[in-house]
Amino acid sequence: MVFDYLASGLVFSSIIVLGSIGLSLIYSIADFANFAHGDTMTVGAYAAFLTFGAVGGLGGSVLGLPLGFFVALVAGIVVAAVVAVLTEKVVYDGMNAGSIELLITSIGIAFVYRAIIQIGFGADFTRYEVQTLRPIEALLPYGVRVTQHDVAIVLSALVLVGSLHTLLQYSDLGRKMRAMADNPDLARVSGIRTDRVKLWTWIIGAGLAGSGGVFLGLYNQLSPRMGFNLLLLIFAAVILGGIGSVYGAMLGGFLIGMINQLTPVLSDIALLTDMGALLPLVPDSFGIAIGIEYANAIAFVIMVAVLLVRPNGIAGEAT
């Protein structure tokens, strides 16, 4: 059963990583913590929900998902990016304010996003109209209960993360983004069009958030608070990995997601007795009375412990 928790952690981590990268990108370029990022994920999820309702009947399927779902995924990415860019141009860019003022403003923007979604779709939970699948039979003997949908989430996240890595390391835009993140003033006097780089940062960061929201809706279900409920975990992942570090956000997102899903192991350490005679002294009732409802708290405790040892995070640079 431990393998099942690990598999669930991998799927959940894929969603956290997509949200964490987007948040870290925007922070490194726009220089403020965007508290509307979680609700940007919700925007992407509901845009995909609407699109899938229109094109869900497209023929063919990949990993148990209709081709229409992937069309809806693209729509969710695009809508999330467009909404974030419009917000940046209309609200953030027009404000002569510092990081704290922008942070507080982003909290208000998050409430606006959430209210509009709730007015349009109601406060109830809903789901994508995709067929519920049975766990992959070949993995059941190992105690792993994942479906083809879970595999699709992990593979899609790998494609998106790999594409971002290629962009950052091998493209002209990626080099400009890294230069602006390191020293925006030097990048500006060097001739880099920082406004254009900032625009693309919002597009990429919000687009990744939108994709994470779509996969979160597939993994669980949709609700107006779905992105907000995940936001603190995403912040924990970004801080743990190193604020402003994209690759740190990837690592932090993976660790926070795995820790979150592995929490039930603490209340069921007797699972280890499945290893046979290796632990003959461990009684079947041995365990710690900590359930999945404490998963977020445990993730934050570990984050704080790491930061006490390394204040700049795992991959962050010292200041």
Side-chain angles (χ1 to χ4, degrees):
M1 191 174 291
V2 173
F3 291 139
D4 190 33
Y5 291 139
L6 288 171
S8 297
L10 182 60
V11 179
F12 189 61
S13 294
S14 300
I15 298 170
I16 297 291
V17 164
L18 291 173
S20 300
I21 294 173
L23 182 62
S24 185
L25 267 177
I26 293 172
Y27 180 90
S28 64
I29 302 297
D31 195 30
F32 80 98
N34 179 23
F35 269 76
H37 193 75
D39 291 276
T40 302
M41 298 177 69
T42 308
V43 169
Y46 275 90
F49 177 76
L50 277 179
T51 305
F52 187 65
V55 302
L58 291 178
S61 65
V62 178
L63 292 173
L65 291 170
L67 293 180
F69 180 83
F70 295 97
V71 175
L73 170 63
V74 173
I77 293 172
V78 171
V79 171
V82 169
V83 169
V85 168
L86 288 176
T87 302
E88 197 277 334
K89 290 296 183 183
V90 174
V91 182
Y92 302 137
D93 197 39
M95 296 176 62
N96 184 19
S99 299
I100 300 300
E101 291 85 354
L102 290 173
L103 184 154
I104 296 172
T105 301
S106 72
I107 296 175
I109 293 296
F111 282 117
V112 172
Y113 287 172
R114 204 176 314 148
I116 293 174
I117 291 173
Q118 189 163 330
I119 290 171
F121 298 92
D124 295 334
F125 293 96
T126 188
R127 293 181 180 274
Y128 296 116
E129 293 294 331
V130 296
Q131 181 181 2
T132 301
L133 300 180
R134 295 176 57 86
I136 299 173
E137 293 186 5
L139 299 177
L140 289 177
Y142 303 98
V144 178
R145 299 178 60 83
V146 297
T147 68
Q148 290 184 343
H149 294 170
D150 298 324
V151 176
I153 292 173
V154 175
L155 292 180
S156 299
L158 285 174
V159 170
L160 291 170
V161 171
S163 299
L164 177 65
H165 168 73
T166 302
L167 173 71
L168 291 177
Q169 296 298 325
Y170 303 109
S171 72
D172 183 60
L173 175 61
R175 287 188 288 270
K176 291 177 180 178
M177 290 173 68
R178 287 186 282 119
M180 188 172 172
D182 289 338
N183 193 323
D185 293 329
L186 181 59
R188 188 176 297 108
V189 299
S190 299
I192 294 176
R193 301 180 63 177
T194 54
D195 289 343
R196 178 172 294 182
V197 174
K198 188 176 180 180
L199 174 64
W200 276 108
T201 300
W202 277 100
I203 292 173
I204 296 169
L208 288 172
S211 67
V214 175
F215 292 134
L216 179 61
L218 178 64
Y219 178 72
N220 194 357
Q221 52 190 348
L222 287 82
S223 76
R225 292 178 59 88
M226 58 186 289
F228 173 77
N229 292 338
L230 203 66
L231 182 62
L232 289 182
L233 277 183
I234 293 173
F235 266 104
V238 171
I239 295 171
L240 177 62
I243 191 72
S245 170
V246 173
Y247 294 102
M250 294 179 189
L251 179 57
F254 175 77
L255 292 176
I256 290 295
M258 293 298 292
I259 292 168
N260 183 278
Q261 294 298 301
L262 284 170
T263 298
V265 174
L266 294 174
S267 60
D268 199 7
I269 299 179
L271 288 172
L272 298 177
T273 60
D274 292 342
M275 298 172 62
L278 293 179
L279 296 171
L281 300 180
V282 177
D284 289 341
S285 60
F286 183 73
I288 304 174
I290 297 178
I292 189 66
E293 63 271 18
Y294 299 103
N296 292 356
I298 292 174
F300 275 95
V301 168
I302 293 175
M303 180 197 74
V304 172
V306 170
L307 293 181
L308 287 174
V309 178
R310 186 177 173 83
N312 50 302
I314 297 173
E317 296 180 358
T319 57

